[in-house]
Amino acid sequence: MALAGKGFMIWKIKDCEGGNPSQIASVAQSAGLTHVLIKIADGIGTYNEDRSRGVDLVAPVAQALRQKGMQVWGWHYVYGYNPAAEAQMAVKRCKQLALDGYVIDAEVEYKVQGAEEKAKVFMTELRKGIPNLPVALCSFRFPSYHPSFPWRVFLEKCDYNMPQVYWEKAHNAGEQLRRSVRELQSLSPIRPVVPTGPVYN
C-alpha cells in the first residue's frame, strides 16, 4: 500500500489525548492525516505497553485509526546489538498488529565498525518475515555528515527513505529539506523521500 499524504509519528501513546484511542483517532482525522506511525518496539522489546497491567496500548489505537480510514504503520528504534532478535521483534509486532507498514529508526548506533554486517543481518531477517510489507528507513537528514552509516544495506530492502529533517534553531527549513532530498537521491538505490519534521515542541 502506497504511503501518501500527511502523517504523524506517535512516540508515547499515553501522552497523546490522555491515551484515549477514539480521541487520538478523531484528532488525527480532523488534522487531515492519511497515516499514523506508532512506536511499536525498542530494540528487542515491545513498546507502548502498560506492563503493570499487561496491556498493549497500540492495538486499540490502531483499530480506532483504521475505523477513521487511516493507515497504521509501526516504527521501531533499533540498536544493532542483536540485529536478528530486533528483526524478529519487528516481524512479530507487524503481524500481531496487522500493520500497513514498518519504519526502521536507525541512528548513531549504526555508525560503528561492523554496522554494515549488522544491517545485513537485520534486513535479511526482517524481509524473510515481512517480504511484502512496505518498509521505510527513518534516519539522518544529510548522508554527507554520516558516511559510515550503512545506507545502501538498509535501502536495498526498503521502499521509502524517511529522513529526520529537524530544523530547530534554524531559519532555513526549506533549504534544509531541499538539501536533504538532493543528498538522499544521490544515494544508491534511490527511494522516494518522505520527510519527517519536528512537532513535539
Side-chain angles (χ1 to χ4, degrees):
M1 191 177 293
L3 187 64
K6 182 172 62 173
F8 188 86
M9 294 180 88
I10 294 177
W11 176 23
K12 297 178 180 178
I13 287 174
K14 66 181 179 62
D15 293 340
C16 293
E17 308 306 319
N20 184 298
S22 61
Q23 287 183 21
I24 290 172
S26 293
V27 170
Q29 184 181 47
S30 67
L33 303 184
T34 60
H35 57 283
V36 175
L37 305 89
I38 305 171
K39 186 168 184 181
I40 57 167
D42 189 82
I44 62 172
T46 56
Y47 202 83
N48 276 311
E49 274 191 327
D50 182 341
R51 290 190 172 86
S52 64
R53 295 185 297 139
V55 175
D56 185 352
L57 303 178
V58 180
V61 175
Q63 182 180 6
L65 290 165
R66 287 194 188 99
Q67 287 172 348
K68 300 279 189 183
M70 282 165 272
Q71 286 190 38
V72 181
W73 286 49
W75 67 275
H76 177 190
Y77 195 99
V78 295
Y79 299 89
Y81 305 141
N82 189 340
E86 286 184 323
Q88 287 158 11
M89 173 55 67
V91 170
K92 176 184 172 184
R93 293 292 275 161
C94 287
K95 290 181 176 179
Q96 185 180 57
L97 296 161
L99 296 174
D100 296 300
Y102 168 76
V103 178
I104 306 158
D105 184 357
E107 301 184 28
V108 67
E109 293 82 6
Y110 268 95
K111 292 177 62 177
V112 298
Q113 189 172 9
E116 189 166 302
E117 188 54 42
K118 291 176 181 180
K120 281 180 187 172
V121 170
F122 178 82
M123 294 306 296
T124 300
E125 190 71 23
L126 180 75
R127 278 316 200 178
K128 198 162 48 174
I130 49 169
N132 302 312
L133 197 70
V135 173
L137 172 66
C138 185
S139 194
F140 304 109
R141 59 185 163 172
F142 301 140
S144 61
Y145 287 4
H146 309 279
S148 62
F149 187 83
W151 296 99
R152 181 187 53 78
V153 179
F154 278 117
L155 291 173
E156 279 177 345
K157 290 180 167 37
C158 283
D159 303 286
Y160 298 98
N161 211 329
M162 196 175 282
Q164 298 169 21
V165 189
Y166 295 172
W167 53 77
E168 297 101 326
K169 300 181 182 177
H171 61 280
N172 62 339
E175 177 48 40
Q176 289 193 37
L177 175 57
R178 285 188 287 273
R179 177 183 171 185
S180 179
V181 172
R182 279 197 308 271
E183 289 199 14
L184 291 167
Q185 291 185 334
S186 72
L187 298 175
S188 180
I190 297 172
R191 297 292 182 243
V193 176
V194 181
T196 304
V199 296
Y200 39 77
N201 289 331

